[in-house]
């Protein structure tokens, strides 16, 4: 089974509605009708409506960067999956390392958010990845396996193909220090092995595993040519249309 490449841009806390609309307009012109790569962008919540409206009929999906695990209630400042679905969002990033490190998203919270995505009909993009300390002390694999077990452990095999995984070594995010294609491939193969140990073959064969961490136009082709790397989750380079489009082009 061949997996369709998937390039997702995480705009983080950049681009209010007007700027987001302008970037979406450029992406729409460049990407409408291109059929070979799945593309999504994740603007900040406030810019989601403008980007959804702009990208309508373009084939480019809109993702959220986060969600709350409840559908509604007294949770000041939070946004639910149901609200995101109503706003036209398709995917939702869950467990990004910035959420884990800065906003208290523990493994248990990540698990609840993954289930909230399913309840709301959103497709989760689940991020896993080790810190530099964890890599240097030989724990990278164990950390990633623990994060996978927490996030996916209670999902059925039939649910799993709706999940996209993103391996994002924390030491490579926003640092300009990319994992080498061989380093990334090694962990992607480990993740696929973890899936193969637990689920029927259609799960590891069909699930997409993206790499994230300082992906740019200049290093994308090397990473994307690896057998277990099915796309990229892109931060900084997703904010500049030419840079993002170069990564999409490398995935074709
Ligand atoms: C990210 O935040 O998911 C990311 C990969 O960022 P960057 O591409 O800037 O390293």
């Amino acid at each position: 089974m061949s997996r369709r490449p998937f390039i997702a841009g995480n705009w983080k806390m950049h681009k209010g509605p007007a700027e987001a609309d302008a970037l979406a307009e450029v992406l729409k012109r460049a990407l409408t009708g291109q059929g070979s790569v799945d593309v999504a962008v994740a603007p900040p919540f406030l810019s989601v409506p403008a980007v959804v409206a702009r990208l309508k009929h373009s084939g480019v999906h809109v993702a959220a960067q986060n969600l709350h695990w409840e559908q509604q209630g007294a949770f000041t400042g939070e946004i639910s999956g149901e609200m995101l679905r109503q706003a036209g969002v398709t995917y939702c990033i869950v467990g990004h390392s910035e959420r884990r490190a800065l906003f208290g998203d523990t493994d248990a919270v990540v698990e609840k958010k993954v289930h909230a995505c399913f309840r709301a009909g959103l497709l989760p993009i689940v991020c896993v990845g080790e810190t530099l300390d964890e890599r240097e002390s030989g724990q990278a694999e164990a950390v990633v396996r623990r994060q996978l077990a927490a996030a996916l452990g209670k999902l059925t095999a039939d649910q799993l193909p709706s999940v996209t995984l993103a391996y994002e070594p924390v030491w490579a995010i926003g640092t300009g220090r990319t994992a080498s294609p061989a380093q990334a491939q090694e962990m992607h193969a480990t993740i696929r092995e973890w899936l193969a140990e637990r689920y029927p073959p259609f799960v590891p064969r069909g699930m997409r595993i993206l790499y994230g961490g300082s992906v740019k136009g200049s290093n994308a082709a090397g990473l994307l040519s690896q057998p277990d790397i099915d796309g990229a989750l892109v931060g900084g380079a997703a904010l500049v249309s030419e840079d993002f489009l170069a990564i999409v082009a490398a995935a074709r």
Side-chain angles (χ1 to χ4, degrees):
M1 187 195 299
S2 74
R3 296 176 294 271
R4 219 174 127 77
F6 183 17
I7 304 296
N10 174 11
W11 295 357
K12 309 193 184 188
M13 200 173 72
H14 296 282
K15 306 216 178 270
E19 275 182 291
D21 183 46
L23 176 52
E25 164 72 23
V26 179
L27 298 181
K28 179 174 183 160
R29 264 190 268 123
L31 295 173
T32 299
Q34 74 77 33
S36 53
V37 181
D38 286 344
V39 179
V41 293
F45 287 138
L46 198 59
S47 303
V48 161
V51 174
V52 166
R54 180 61 67 189
L55 292 177
K56 210 167 178 186
H57 307 307
S58 69
V60 178
H61 297 284
V62 178
Q65 300 175 17
N66 182 36
L67 82 172
H68 192 269
W69 58 85
E70 293 290 347
Q71 275 178 294
Q72 59 180 14
F75 300 104
T76 302
E78 293 292 330
I79 302 280
S80 74
E82 177 58 24
M83 291 169 187
L84 294 168
R85 193 196 53 75
Q86 284 175 19
V89 165
T90 310
Y91 291 92
C92 186
I93 300 170
V94 178
H96 189 281
S97 66
E98 286 153 17
R99 299 286 326 166
R100 292 180 190 262
L102 304 173
F103 302 103
D105 283 14
T106 59
D107 283 342
V109 167
V110 171
E111 185 202 352
K112 286 202 277 191
K113 290 186 173 183
V114 169
H115 288 275
C117 284
F118 276 96
R119 272 202 312 277
L122 299 173
L123 302 170
I125 301 173
V126 177
C127 302
V128 296
E130 79 286 357
T131 63
L132 189 57
D133 277 357
E134 288 163 344
R135 174 159 284 257
E136 286 178 345
S137 59
Q139 298 171 69
E141 245 194 54
V143 167
V144 168
R145 285 173 176 268
R146 188 203 75 222
Q147 291 172 335
L148 289 169
L152 309 182
K154 293 192 187 129
L155 296 178
T156 65
D158 288 340
Q159 285 176 306
L160 280 167
S162 303
V163 176
T164 300
L165 292 171
Y167 169 56
E168 299 208 303
V170 179
W171 46 272
I173 295 180
T175 58
R177 183 177 168 186
T178 321
S180 69
Q183 271 175 325
Q185 165 58 27
E186 190 180 12
M187 188 61 87
H188 281 234
T190 298
I191 293 171
R192 224 176 279 291
E193 215 173 86
W194 185 92
L195 294 167
E197 285 160 9
R198 287 162 181 78
Y199 303 100
F202 75 88
V203 172
R205 255 192 249 133
M207 273 182 84
R208 292 188 291 199
I209 310 173
L210 314 183
Y211 168 77
S214 300
V215 177
K216 305 188 264 291
S218 55
N219 59 25
L223 289 157
L224 295 170
S225 66
Q226 299 299 311
D228 288 299
I229 301 183
D230 305 312
L233 181 53
V234 183
L239 297 173
V240 178
S241 57
E242 306 86 76
D243 296 348
F244 187 65
L245 291 170
I247 297 169
V248 175
R252 285 196 184 116

